[in-house]
Amino acid sequence: MTGYGQFCSVARAHEALGGRWTLLVVRELLCGSRRFNDIRRGIPRISRTMLSERLQALAFVGAVARVGGAHGPEYVLTEAGKELAVLVSALGGWGQRWLPRRAGDEDLDPEPLLVDMQRRVRAEALPKDPIVVRFEIDARQPRFMLLQAAEASLCTHNPGFPEPLRVRARLSALVAWWRGDAGFAEARRMGLTIDGPRALVRAFPGWFDRYLFAHIGPASARSSAATAARPAATDRIAGAIPS
């Protein structure tokens, strides 16, 4: 494939990292996934072939290393790969602040949402005894999340623990709460329902640290207008980037 033909490090880095899916693979590795199938669970629309190609490309530029694990090969970020956390964080913050957030109009999968909920469980806030939360999202097959102090697991079947809570939701409502687009009460008005003992229902939101960027609100129309009215400041910043 023909490159950009530029000396600029922005262009060279984009050649290495700008391919479709690449930074999502990095995101999954930064979030703690190490095995091939675990990485793919967080990016369900990537094919196995494409994921393999992206991991190989990241290894080629020195951002990822393939190592032996207890249950087969694993992928870990090198020092160069860990530094990409700054880039991924900046992209996430920018997208949360500036891109439209209308979950009902978006083409969304439930799996990445549930995977993110699983890895952001607050173990110290959970009930003393293990429980399973049943998720019924739109018309899809139920999913089950085992919550206990030692681990949180996402399953296709109840692994054999009590199942006191059932979350029934439109995917858009659950996404709106998790992403910070709506408060929990508003999400319930949008179609998020939790059935079970009142104490557990009230405690449920506190069992999770919400989406990493949920605290970032959307840019206001005023800030957008102010930014548009001050092009000189943008020009000065842009002037610091070599061409």
Side-chain angles (χ1 to χ4, degrees):
M1 181 180 295
T2 303
Y4 295 132
Q6 297 186 17
F7 80 92
C8 174
S9 59
V10 174
R12 296 176 65 232
H14 195 269
E15 284 183 358
L17 303 170
R20 182 172 170 83
W21 306 111
T22 301
L23 287 179
L24 293 186
V25 175
V26 173
R27 180 199 66 188
E28 291 304 303
L29 292 166
L30 286 168
C31 288
S33 297
R34 295 170 62 99
R35 302 182 63 189
F36 188 94
N37 286 337
D38 291 337
I39 297 169
R40 193 165 180 240
R41 286 179 71 198
I43 322 172
R45 296 191 185 185
I46 192 172
S47 69
R48 297 182 66 86
T49 299
M50 180 60 71
L51 177 54
S52 179
E53 290 176 359
R54 291 295 179 254
L55 287 167
Q56 290 176 30
L58 286 165
F60 180 77
V61 298
V64 167
R66 188 173 187 267
V67 299
H71 302 286
E74 296 183 352
Y75 300 89
V76 297
L77 292 168
T78 63
E79 182 178 355
K82 291 174 183 177
E83 193 169 322
L84 292 173
V86 178
L87 176 58
V88 172
S89 179
L91 280 174
W94 183 89
Q96 185 81 342
R97 184 175 292 108
W98 294 105
L99 295 179
R101 286 150 61 176
R102 294 185 292 270
D105 298 331
E106 298 171 38
D107 181 19
L108 300 170
D109 288 328
E111 189 72 8
L113 169 64
L114 294 174
V115 167
D116 201 45
M117 291 182 70
Q118 172 206 341
R119 60 192 174 202
R120 294 186 63 78
V121 170
R122 299 176 60 225
E124 69 278 5
L126 295 176
K128 180 178 66 175
D129 298 323
I131 66 169
V132 168
V133 179
R134 179 188 180 100
F135 287 86
E136 297 177 0
I137 301 175
D138 294 337
R140 297 174 171 88
Q141 289 293 320
R143 299 301 304 275
F144 302 85
M145 190 176 295
L146 169 62
L147 300 174
Q148 53 185 343
E151 67 170 329
S153 302
L154 189 61
C155 315
T156 55
H157 297 86
N158 187 328
F161 291 89
E163 188 182 302
L165 285 183
R166 179 174 65 168
V167 176
R168 293 183 291 118
R170 295 173 57 192
L171 179 57
S172 57
L174 190 56
V175 167
W177 168 65
W178 186 251
R179 193 168 58 185
D181 306 346
F184 196 71
E186 183 179 354
R188 297 187 76 167
R189 291 192 293 271
M190 295 168 61
L192 171 60
T193 302
I194 303 182
D195 298 323
R198 179 175 298 181
L200 293 180
V201 170
R202 295 180 62 181
F204 175 82
W207 293 347
F208 304 89
D209 288 322
R210 266 199 299 177
Y211 175 53
L212 183 62
F213 301 105
H215 64 284
I216 299 177
S220 66
R222 175 181 294 181
S223 67
S224 299
T227 300
R230 295 197 301 270
T234 304
D235 290 344
R236 286 196 296 272
I237 296 170
I241 302 177
S243 57

